[in-house]
Amino acid sequence: MTEKIITLEDLELVGFLGVENSNIKQVAAAFPQSKIISRGNEITIRGSLPEIVRINEILDSLIQHYQKYGKISKEQVQSYLTLEKNPTTEPNVHLKEEDDVLLYGTKGVVIKVKTPNQQKMVEAASKNDIVFAIGPAGTGKTYTAVAIAVKALKNKEVKKIIITRPAVEAGENLGFLPGDLKEKIDPYLRPIYDALDDMIQPEKLKYFIENRVIEIAPLAYMRGRTLNNAFILLDEAQNTTPMQMKMFLTRMGIQSKVIITGDKTQIDLPTKVKSGLAEASRILDNIKGIAFVELDGKDVVRHRLVRDIIMAYEKSEALK
């Protein structure tokens, strides 16, 4: 009798194994001549070598499925078992990715683009190394940008994600806020954490942050660095100065991609300070490999009144 041990890394064990190991028990029932034991993050297979190879292939497929979609059901387990016994069988519809799905998140959340301009963001990111996504609050530009970056990480297109934003908000001075630097900065990064919570299992997200696979930091921390093989997001870019924007853009290293999001109507810089986002839009408009995507009131995915408020402000600005 041969034995093989599979170690499960960076997986939410209950989600993958099933309640009371139901998913693994389902696989074990299909191979009564072998023994499959699940303890902690290890699965031990004992049996003949040919069966161990077959079971290992099924478990590999289930692991890849879970890493991609963040969930697995008993129907999907059965589909992989059926497919293993008869490889010529057409895969069950449960195994196929929907065309409009951007990412499978946590707790069964399916993350899709919701507007044509969000779809333009996704397409622009696939064809360009730098994308500017500019539009008002509520258009989903930050959420979509984070989803694009997480998908690239899951698909191993990049080795890490770096998310940053300038620590400037509505005229507030960080020096007067309580706590150390992290405690002062974290509230400004809360929208980023909220998006990541929807997209990555808690244990895995904690592991990524602790091991700097995902790094979330204020813009000042980017100075002097070269960021290789990374997906880099700059949020709230309207609050960068021209010098900060230039500094950020020149951090980009080999095999990296950048998405910059911002809202030109919500600049919180001092009155006489120019916005780095506005200047970059003018200077970089015709460079190959850099794309600009404009979102507007029609892309708002929050409460209906948010769309109406934005459109009312746009109309008022046009009359000035």
Side-chain angles (χ1 to χ4, degrees):
M1 181 174 284
T2 307
E3 179 178 292
K4 179 177 177 62
I5 298 176
I6 298 173
T7 302
L8 304 175
E9 297 179 353
D10 303 332
L11 291 176
E12 186 191 24
L13 295 179
V14 174
F16 176 73
L17 300 171
V19 178
E20 296 182 349
N21 292 341
S22 57
N23 291 338
I24 299 304
K25 289 176 181 177
Q26 190 175 348
V27 175
F31 295 91
Q33 302 302 315
S34 299
K35 193 170 185 67
I36 305 176
I37 304 166
S38 174
R39 286 198 181 97
N41 69 334
E42 290 186 345
I43 298 175
T44 303
I45 312 168
R46 297 192 186 113
S48 66
L49 183 58
E51 279 216 344
I52 285 180
V53 171
R54 292 171 64 196
I55 294 168
N56 186 61
E57 287 177 350
I58 289 170
L59 290 175
D60 277 347
S61 296
L62 291 173
I63 290 169
Q64 290 175 27
H65 181 102
Y66 189 80
Q67 288 175 332
K68 186 172 185 179
Y69 301 117
K71 61 178 181 177
I72 194 159
S73 66
K74 64 179 183 179
E75 291 82 12
Q76 289 162 340
V77 174
Q78 187 56 51
S79 293
Y80 281 108
L81 289 169
T82 302
L83 196 60
E84 190 277 334
K85 290 178 181 177
N86 186 2
T88 61
T89 303
E90 178 68 18
N92 187 296
V93 68
H94 292 289
L95 305 184
K96 295 180 178 179
E97 185 175 1
E98 298 175 53
D99 291 338
D100 59 346
V101 171
L102 183 56
L103 191 70
Y104 288 84
T106 60
K107 301 175 184 177
V109 173
V110 179
I111 298 165
K112 303 181 179 183
V113 291
K114 295 181 179 179
T115 71
N117 284 329
Q118 288 180 9
Q119 182 61 41
K120 286 181 182 178
M121 276 185 66
V122 175
E123 292 170 358
S126 69
K127 297 174 183 176
N128 300 274
D129 288 338
I130 298 178
V131 175
F132 285 81
I134 301 169
T139 52
K141 55 190 183 296
T142 297
Y143 196 87
T144 303
V146 174
I148 293 168
V150 170
K151 184 174 184 178
L153 182 66
K154 286 189 173 184
N155 290 344
K156 297 185 175 11
E157 295 168 17
V158 295
K159 291 185 177 179
K160 66 188 303 183
I161 295 173
I162 299 168
I163 305 174
T164 186
R165 66 191 305 193
V168 177
E169 291 288 336
E172 296 174 5
N173 188 328
L174 289 176
F176 291 100
L177 296 177
D180 60 20
L181 181 61
K182 184 179 186 301
E183 291 170 329
K184 291 176 180 181
I185 293 297
D186 272 359
Y188 297 93
L189 301 171
R190 191 69 253 168
I192 305 297
Y193 286 111
D194 289 343
L196 289 170
D197 285 341
D198 282 352
M199 298 172 195
I200 302 174
Q201 298 292 344
E203 294 87 350
K204 196 164 189 176
L205 179 56
K206 182 181 178 183
Y207 170 85
F208 281 161
I209 291 175
E210 288 177 349
N211 290 274
R212 299 172 70 96
V213 176
I214 294 179
E215 184 179 347
I216 307 170
L219 182 59
Y221 282 31
M222 298 298 107
R223 189 173 298 278
R225 300 178 62 183
T226 300
L227 307 173
N228 294 321
N229 211 328
F231 214 117
I232 313 152
L233 306 183
L234 171 59
D235 192 38
E236 298 290 345
Q238 75 276 3
N239 287 328
T240 61
T241 66
M243 188 70 73
Q244 287 174 324
M245 177 63 76
K246 181 181 177 183
M247 178 274 291
F248 171 78
L249 290 171
T250 54
R251 299 308 95 204
M252 185 180 181
I254 297 168
Q255 294 183 328
S256 288
K257 280 183 170 283
V258 173
I259 297 182
I260 296 159
T261 63
D263 176 2
K264 292 179 183 177
T265 68
Q266 291 193 353
I267 297 172
D268 298 313
L269 293 167
T271 306
K272 294 183 179 181
V273 178
K274 289 183 180 179
S275 167
L277 178 63
E279 183 170 276
S281 300
R282 176 178 58 83
I283 294 174
L284 307 176
D285 191 32
N286 294 314
I287 296 180
K288 187 176 181 180
I290 300 179
F292 287 82
V293 178
E294 296 279 348
L295 297 96
D296 56 33
K298 293 188 280 297
D299 296 296
V300 172
V301 290
R302 294 180 183 172
H303 193 287
R304 175 191 60 80
L305 285 175
V306 176
R307 182 186 296 110
D308 293 343
I309 290 167
I310 289 170
M311 288 183 168
Y313 271 96
E314 288 176 350
K315 185 177 180 181
S316 174
E317 288 294 324
L319 294 174
K320 287 183 180 179

